[in-house]
Amino acid sequence: MAAAEAKPGSFMANIQKKLSNGAEAGSRAIKIQTLKAEIMMKENQAKSVKQEMGVAIYAALESSDQEEMARIFGEYKAKVDAIDAEIATKKLTMTELEAQATPRE
């Protein structure tokens, strides 16, 4: 394998480095696009949970049942908070991947 390795600074070493960097950049771009799609799905999921809460809380609102409203709100808020935490984690990962794409030279 030593015969196939290019000497540092040589033309072949530069080509190998550029190919490797290109593959890494492509992989990062795919991961970022996947995260963007996952974030969009999670945002839609949070919206759906909020809409479900509206349906669930309607009767309590109609009867002015404060305890039931608070219980339902707490239940659905916990669900939305969990989804928001997942979104935040994905956004952080995406930011880290984007930072890796910035040239360091």
Side-chain angles (χ1 to χ4, degrees), residues 26-60:
S27 176
R28 270 193 308 274
I30 289 170
K31 289 176 185 175
I32 289 169
Q33 289 305 316
T34 300
L35 285 165
K36 285 180 181 179
E38 290 173 354
I39 289 167
M40 190 182 322
M41 288 188 317
K42 289 293 180 183
E43 289 170 342
N44 287 335
Q45 184 182 7
K47 183 179 177 181
S48 292
V49 169
K50 290 173 185 176
Q51 289 172 335
E52 289 173 20
M53 182 190 72
V55 172
I57 209 166
Y58 186 83

Side-chain angles (χ1 to χ4, degrees), residues 9-102:
S10 72
F11 175 75
M12 286 305 291
N14 289 336
I15 295 289
Q16 288 172 343
K17 181 179 178 184
K18 288 179 182 181
L19 288 173
S20 175
N21 289 345
E24 289 173 13
S27 176
R28 270 193 308 274
I30 289 170
K31 289 176 185 175
I32 289 169
Q33 289 305 316
T34 300
L35 285 165
K36 285 180 181 179
E38 290 173 354
I39 289 167
M40 190 182 322
M41 288 188 317
K42 289 293 180 183
E43 289 170 342
N44 287 335
Q45 184 182 7
K47 183 179 177 181
S48 292
V49 169
K50 290 173 185 176
Q51 289 172 335
E52 289 173 20
M53 182 190 72
V55 172
I57 209 166
Y58 186 83
L61 284 168
E62 211 170 33
S63 66
S64 298
D65 186 344
Q66 296 293 323
E67 286 182 27
E68 184 63 5
M69 282 189 275
R71 185 196 67 75
I72 293 169
F73 177 76
E75 176 185 333
Y76 282 89
K77 185 178 183 330
K79 291 177 184 181
V80 172
D81 287 349
I83 295 168
D84 286 345
E86 291 179 52
I87 291 170
T89 299
K90 290 178 186 303
K91 284 183 177 180
L92 179 61
T93 301
M94 197 169 71
T95 300
E96 291 169 352
L97 288 169
E98 289 169 341
Q100 291 173 7
T102 343

